[in-house]
Amino acid sequence: MNQKAFSYGAGVLFAAAGAACWSMAGGLVRLTHGIDAWQIVFYRSAVVLVCMLVWLGLRFRGELGWRAREAGVNAVIAGVAIGTAGLVFIIAMFYTTVADAVFMTGVSPFLSAILGLWILRERIPAITWTAMCVAMFGMGIIFYGNAGGGAFVGTLLALYSAFCFSCYAVMLRWGQKTDMSVALIWNAVYLVLVVGFVILLPTPLRATHGVADFAIGWQNFGLCIVMGAVQLTLGLILFTIGSRSVPAAQLALIALVEPTLSPLWAWLASGELPPVWTFIGGAVIVAAIVIQALFASRIKRHARKASLKRGGQPAFDHP
């Protein structure tokens, strides 16, 4: 399908709607009953695989196979990284509150910057270093509030999920000359195979195993369909459409819709109220992301004006 250009206002609405879809994860997980993270991830990933094959098939027509070969091993590694991030995030929510898990994954932009410096030799501006220090302080507050309990394990898992997502972001930049959206197909295939193996065969990761464990009940199955089709696939498509007309720096601000709404959905779904330390630390992390995004947008705006004064072409941001 040809990419259609939208106005800036429409782009903001599309991106915000996509982030709002992502924010539903915690609330939907809390609505499930009698199943574990492995069962949720298996069926959610199966739905994502079907939806992504349909969407990318319509988008690329008969070129999907060629696009996948062109992206190559970069897309495979990116798919495994984002798949691991999603799996660990779901597991984390069984150990800690939704707000805690979401705020901890909010540090992924800063982890991406560090990995980008190490792997891609991308320079980190001073404002990003400052924002990372502020975010680290917020993480320390959350760790302090969860010290000595099971929530500490969930916090560590959420942090590892953020690291895996950062690896995914770096691989996207590494393979930017190809269409890396096919990585999401590899993500779903990887999770369906690995998680299906864990459910079916005896491993230390689950107390039970066997074909009977694939039965999760119609209510849980319906929730997994919503997670795969709406929370993940639709969220991705809407955010991708919005990114065509919204500068990349501002997309980081719009993505804050996710950590802002996630605790609300969890509260509405199960009455879950996180500890006050989670809100304080989360507010510090969100403030760090806002500072980074605002200064990045300001720097790009000044660079565009300077380019125009020199008589050159304006430098537009690309998603």
Side-chain angles (χ1 to χ4, degrees):
M1 292 192 295
N2 295 328
Q3 291 190 352
K4 181 179 178 182
F6 293 92
S7 67
Y8 172 80
V12 169
L13 290 177
F14 276 118
C21 288
W22 295 338
S23 71
M24 297 166 58
L28 290 170
V29 168
R30 288 294 185 262
L31 288 175
T32 61
H33 297 285
I35 59 175
D36 61 14
W38 300 98
Q39 293 165 308
I40 292 174
V41 172
F42 177 82
Y43 284 103
R44 188 183 73 167
S45 300
V47 173
V48 170
L49 179 59
V50 173
C51 292
M52 290 303 300
L53 285 173
V54 171
W55 179 56
L56 293 179
L58 291 174
R59 180 182 171 193
F60 297 138
R61 303 297 182 180
E63 298 182 353
L64 179 55
W66 176 79
R67 298 274 185 170
R69 288 192 298 272
E70 183 187 39
V73 69
N74 287 338
V76 177
I77 296 175
V80 171
I82 188 63
T84 304
L87 173 61
V88 174
F89 180 74
I90 294 295
I91 296 175
M93 285 190 290
F94 282 83
Y95 287 91
T96 188
T97 64
V98 171
D100 182 14
V102 170
F103 283 135
M104 289 304 296
T105 57
V107 305
S108 59
F110 308 115
L111 294 177
S112 298
I114 295 174
L115 288 174
L117 173 65
W118 177 44
I119 298 175
L120 305 177
R121 298 295 187 266
E122 294 180 342
R123 186 179 65 87
I124 301 180
I127 182 58
T128 302
W129 282 115
T130 303
M132 284 193 290
C133 291
V134 175
M136 289 292 291
F137 179 68
M139 291 167 55
I141 293 175
I142 294 177
F143 273 115
Y144 174 79
N146 291 330
F152 183 73
V153 175
T155 301
L156 287 177
L157 288 171
L159 183 59
Y160 180 64
S161 175
F163 170 76
C164 292
F165 184 84
S166 300
C167 293
Y168 166 70
V170 170
M171 291 308 301
L172 288 185
R173 294 203 293 272
W174 187 279
Q176 59 185 322
K177 294 183 178 180
T178 62
D179 197 313
M180 292 291 286
S181 58
V182 296
L184 295 169
I185 292 181
W186 291 117
N187 153 50
V189 170
Y190 158 72
L191 287 177
V192 167
L193 292 177
V194 171
V195 176
F197 174 85
V198 172
I199 294 175
L200 188 61
L201 301 178
T203 68
L205 299 174
R206 297 186 79 243
T208 61
H209 67 277
V211 177
D213 282 4
F214 285 100
I216 62 173
W218 288 110
Q219 179 180 346
N220 289 328
F221 181 66
L223 290 169
C224 289
I225 291 178
V226 175
M227 290 184 208
V230 179
Q231 183 252 322
L232 283 179
T233 306
L234 180 60
L236 168 72
I237 294 174
L238 290 174
F239 200 81
T240 301
I241 293 173
S243 69
R244 297 173 189 166
S245 57
V246 179
Q250 296 178 31
L251 283 173
L253 276 177
I254 298 172
L256 292 178
V257 169
E258 181 183 5
T260 301
L261 291 181
S262 290
L264 173 63
W265 299 136
W267 176 68
L268 291 175
S270 61
E272 176 181 286
L273 188 62
V276 66
W277 290 109
T278 294
F279 282 116
I280 296 174
V284 173
I285 293 174
V286 170
I289 299 173
V290 170
I291 292 171
Q292 158 69 14
L294 287 176
F295 273 86
S297 179
R298 182 179 179 182
I299 291 172
K300 288 179 181 293
R301 188 166 56 250
H302 286 312
R304 186 179 297 112
K305 290 180 179 179
S307 177
L308 289 173
K309 288 181 180 179
R310 292 193 302 266
Q313 294 296 321
F316 291 100
D317 291 313
H318 296 277

